[in-house]
Amino acid sequence: MAVTETKRKPKQEAKATRAQDPEGTRRNILEVASEEFALNGLSGARIDEIAARTRSSKRMIYYYFGDKEGLYLRALENAYREVREGEAHLDIEGLSPIAALTRLVEFTFEHHHRHEEFIRMVMIENIHNGQYLEQSKEIRELNVTAIDHIARIYSRGVEEGVFRPGLDPVELHWQVSALCFFNVSNRTTFSMIFGRDFGAPEQLERLKRNTVEMLLRFVAAADAPAL
Amino acid sequence: MAVTETKRKPKQEAKATRAQDPEGTRRNILEVASEEFALNGLSGARIDEIAARTRSSKRMIYYYFGDKEGLYLRALENAYREVREGEAHLDIEGLSPIAALTRLVEFTFEHHHRHEEFIRMVMIENIHNGQYLEQSKEIRELNVTAIDHIARIYSRGVEEGVFRPGLDPVELHWQVSALCFFNVSNRTTFSMIFGRDFGAPEQLERLKRNTVEMLLRFVAAADAPAL
DNA sequence: GGGATAATGTACGAACTGGTTAGTTTAGTC
DNA sequence: GACTAAACTAACCAGTTCGTACATTATCCC
């Protein structure tokens, strides 16, 4: 134990001594677990496999997360948190309602595409009838900015007379989500059944354009010019 | 062994003697397995549990289906077969393109709704990256009538000038599928996050109407009357 | 530097779970 | 009515998998 200085203050600063690093260990476990659960589901994932891929050990998983379900719950929360944080970066202020909606849909489409792991976790959670989501206060409190965005855009569009009135923002969001989610969630089987690669870049572009157009046409006021 | 007549010809006719009934046993196992897999996934389902719910035994599962994956594969095929057979009952001959498309979308929406088990199996299979679907020659050969229907409707619509040209029937089908599939697959989490019951009858009606309208507006020719 | 507490490593065990072995019963055939 | 193949049963096995007991080391605070 000749070195004494490097061991001081391992909290916030550059962690010279890596020997004991609770926060890092926790995060490392959660990252690995997130991947494994997204890949294999709750029952499919193996604690031993997760432990092996960790820089830590199985003992630490139980130390920090209690049991397998506790770990899964954290992984689920983690997935939601990451995606929600990403959503916040959308900037649509100053755009016209049509441009803003276009941007929002394009963003959502790409955002889903970028976060396949999240999509898989949501699928898995739906298979479990949302029984873990139900337990998570944290996820319920992560307010969904997407709704605010689309609600604002929509009401501005109605005011300006370019969107027709009487629609429900939550239902609009539902439609956008459906089209964007499906693109990732069912890509594999859909591609197989129809013998076409729905993950190919040009195909994705087409689907994205279709999705935007679909939404614009759906909300368009009766006297709006054709697209 | 006093009775001799009732034992004759147990093949096609009313099976008086249930003692040995290969076809029935097989079907019974498959039914139970389908439910269990749809409910718990491949890794989540338990062979012992399936066996227990069966009128038969675990040994019979292995006798008829080889192993767990074999059983899952049959259950998957079973799900696809049932749903495809149901699709065939759609009758849209004689309807105008718009009426036919309306009917098709409504039917698809309801059909998905009625076959939650199938939806769940497709989700599960996507989680597995379609590795079992890939193995199934039977599913690949079940041709998808939905595409034929929508392709026919669409081309008639274009001919009659009520639909705009240049669209891809497979992509149209993709859009219909996305909207209808999502309604079942993500109902639970979506309802939880947005605090509204998306399975409620009136809500379903609204979503169905929206979906129809979305498609009609998407394919509508430029000079078509507003909806 | 000593004592308390948090963090970590090692080894193990009990229950579960997919799969099998060995043998029995039934249905139909000659 | 003896024989054979298919259908079926019960008990069992071996590998896996979640979880834990126990011991040890690092860090913090005074």
Side-chain angles (χ1 to χ4, degrees), chain A residues 15-199:
Chain A
K15 292 149 190 167
T17 304
R18 284 250 165 153
Q20 214 164 288
D21 176 17
E23 204 43 53
T25 303
R26 232 192 103 96
R27 204 170 39 238
N28 176 233
I29 290 173
L30 198 52
E31 272 168 25
V32 175
S34 294
E35 281 176 33
E36 287 292 316
F37 282 128
L39 210 57
N40 306 308
L42 172 53
S43 50
R46 302 289 149 216
I47 290 284
D48 284 303
E49 176 65 22
I50 293 172
R53 289 191 42 204
T54 289
R55 263 181 262 110
S56 182
S57 68
K58 184 157 76 156
R59 178 69 187 75
M60 284 296 94
I61 293 176
Y62 286 94
Y63 185 66
Y64 284 120
F65 300 96
D67 59 10
K68 194 186 188 185
E69 299 196 348
L71 182 58
Y72 171 80
L73 184 56
R74 296 305 157 204
L76 185 66
E77 286 174 347
N78 200 40
Y80 269 92
R81 197 179 327 110
E82 272 182 15
V83 163
R84 290 284 180 264
E85 280 167 8
E87 271 176 10
H89 294 128
L90 173 63
D91 182 27
I92 48 170
E93 295 306 317
L95 295 178
S96 74
I98 289 177
L101 185 57
T102 300
R103 180 80 173 273
L104 176 73
V105 174
E106 285 178 349
F107 174 83
T108 306
F109 192 94
E110 290 158 7
H111 197 240
H112 277 68
H113 184 64
R114 276 194 303 270
H115 291 88
E116 188 173 335
E117 224 179 73
F118 168 72
I119 304 285
R120 294 175 67 93
M121 286 302 276
V122 175
M123 290 168 79
I124 290 165
E125 186 54 15
N126 271 292
I127 293 288
H128 293 305
N129 294 311
Q131 72 168 114
Y132 298 94
L133 198 151
E134 196 175 21
Q135 292 172 43
S136 174
K137 204 175 64 174
E138 181 182 332
I139 297 179
R140 259 179 283 121
E141 284 171 357
L142 275 175
N143 70 328
V144 188
T145 57
I147 279 290
D148 300 337
H149 279 139
I150 206 164
R152 204 125 27 90
I153 295 169
Y154 174 65
S155 69
R156 262 176 50 216
V158 172
E159 275 170 37
E160 296 181 20
V162 292
F163 294 166
R164 61 188 170 125
L167 298 177
D168 180 341
V170 176
E171 288 175 9
L172 288 176
H173 178 66
W174 185 93
Q175 291 164 325
V176 177
S177 294
L179 292 161
C180 295
F181 193 95
F182 187 84
N183 174 246
V184 181
S185 69
N186 289 50
R187 181 153 54 225
T188 308
T189 56
F190 210 89
S191 294
M192 283 180 174
I193 299 267
F194 295 101
R196 186 198 298 197
D197 181 7
F198 282 85

Side-chain angles (χ1 to χ4, degrees), chain B residues 39-56:
Chain B
L39 211 56
N40 306 308
L42 171 52
S43 50
R46 300 290 114 140
I47 290 282
D48 284 304
E49 177 63 23
I50 293 172
R53 290 190 43 205
T54 290
R55 266 182 260 108
S56 182

Side-chain angles (χ1 to χ4, degrees), chain B residues 49-225:
Chain B
E49 177 63 23
I50 293 172
R53 290 190 43 205
T54 290
R55 266 182 260 108
S56 182
S57 67
K58 183 156 80 154
R59 182 65 187 81
M60 282 296 95
I61 293 175
Y62 287 93
Y63 184 65
Y64 285 120
F65 300 96
D67 58 10
K68 195 186 187 184
E69 300 196 346
L71 181 58
Y72 171 80
L73 184 56
R74 295 306 156 206
L76 185 66
E77 287 173 347
N78 199 40
Y80 269 91
R81 197 179 325 110
E82 272 182 14
V83 164
R84 291 285 180 263
E85 280 167 8
E87 271 176 8
H89 293 127
L90 173 64
D91 181 27
I92 48 170
E93 295 306 317
L95 296 178
S96 75
I98 289 176
L101 185 56
T102 299
R103 179 77 174 273
L104 176 73
V105 174
E106 285 178 349
F107 174 82
T108 306
F109 191 94
E110 290 158 7
H111 197 239
H112 277 68
H113 184 65
R114 275 194 304 269
H115 291 88
E116 189 173 334
E117 225 179 74
F118 168 73
I119 304 285
R120 295 176 66 93
M121 287 301 277
V122 175
M123 291 168 78
I124 290 165
E125 186 54 15
N126 271 291
I127 294 288
H128 293 305
N129 295 312
Q131 73 169 113
Y132 298 94
L133 198 150
E134 195 174 22
Q135 293 172 41
S136 173
K137 204 174 63 173
E138 181 182 333
I139 296 178
R140 260 179 283 119
E141 285 172 357
L142 273 176
N143 70 329
V144 188
T145 56
I147 279 291
D148 300 336
H149 279 138
I150 206 164
R152 203 123 28 87
I153 295 169
Y154 175 65
S155 69
R156 262 177 49 217
V158 173
E159 275 170 36
E160 295 181 21
V162 291
F163 293 166
R164 62 187 169 126
L167 299 177
D168 180 341
V170 175
E171 288 175 9
L172 288 175
H173 178 65
W174 185 92
Q175 291 163 325
V176 177
S177 294
L179 293 161
C180 295
F181 193 95
F182 187 83
N183 174 244
V184 182
S185 68
N186 289 50
R187 180 154 54 224
T188 307
T189 56
F190 210 89
S191 294
M192 282 181 174
I193 299 270
F194 295 100
R196 187 197 296 197
D197 181 8
F198 283 85
E202 329 84 59
Q203 181 67 71
L204 282 177
E205 274 307 309
R206 284 184 59 92
L207 293 174
K208 184 167 73 179
R209 215 172 332 120
N210 284 349
T211 306
V212 169
E213 205 173 320
M214 230 170 162
L215 261 289
L216 289 180
R217 282 170 173 257
F218 185 71
V219 301
D223 58 350

